[in-house]
Amino acid sequence: MADYEIIAVREGTGNGRTHHIAAVKVGESLFLADQIVDWINAGTHRFWVWFQNEQIDVIAREQGSSRRYYLTIKSGAFPPVALLSLPRF
């Protein structure tokens, strides 16, 4: 398993109340969020972000009603929007 830092995000269309990350930037490469979800769920790669000078794991979580997976950060002392605080591309 390799570890990768997510350095930027691209938001997709949302409904105004929620945010949807459509893609992420890792180094100079761009990946669709669905590909990152697949790698996380398979245990192929680990992804993380820097937030408030700490390294936080990115995880895939299943949304209740749609059963679609989305990217968020591991629970802890940081708000779930930490991933959305990254630069946009």
Side-chain angles (χ1 to χ4, degrees), residues 18 61-70:
T18 62
R61 184 167 287 148
E62 187 177 30
Q63 200 278 335
S65 59
S66 71
R67 306 200 39 96
R68 178 175 171 77
Y69 281 89
Y70 64 96

Side-chain angles (χ1 to χ4, degrees), residues 1-7 24-29 31 36 39-40 44-50 55-58:
M1 177 188 306
D3 292 359
Y4 297 100
E5 178 186 6
I6 295 174
I7 60 171
V24 300
K25 186 173 184 181
V26 177
E28 293 300 316
S29 299
F31 297 97
I36 303 297
W39 285 331
I40 290 171
T44 305
H45 301 299
R46 176 182 164 263
F47 294 89
W48 52 273
V49 296
W50 278 111
Q55 183 177 317
I56 305 169
D57 287 337
V58 173

Side-chain angles (χ1 to χ4, degrees), residues 2-21:
D3 292 359
Y4 297 100
E5 178 186 6
I6 295 174
I7 60 171
V9 296
R10 176 178 290 157
E11 286 188 76
T13 57
N15 64 9
R17 295 180 304 123
T18 62
H19 298 277
H20 171 71
I21 295 173

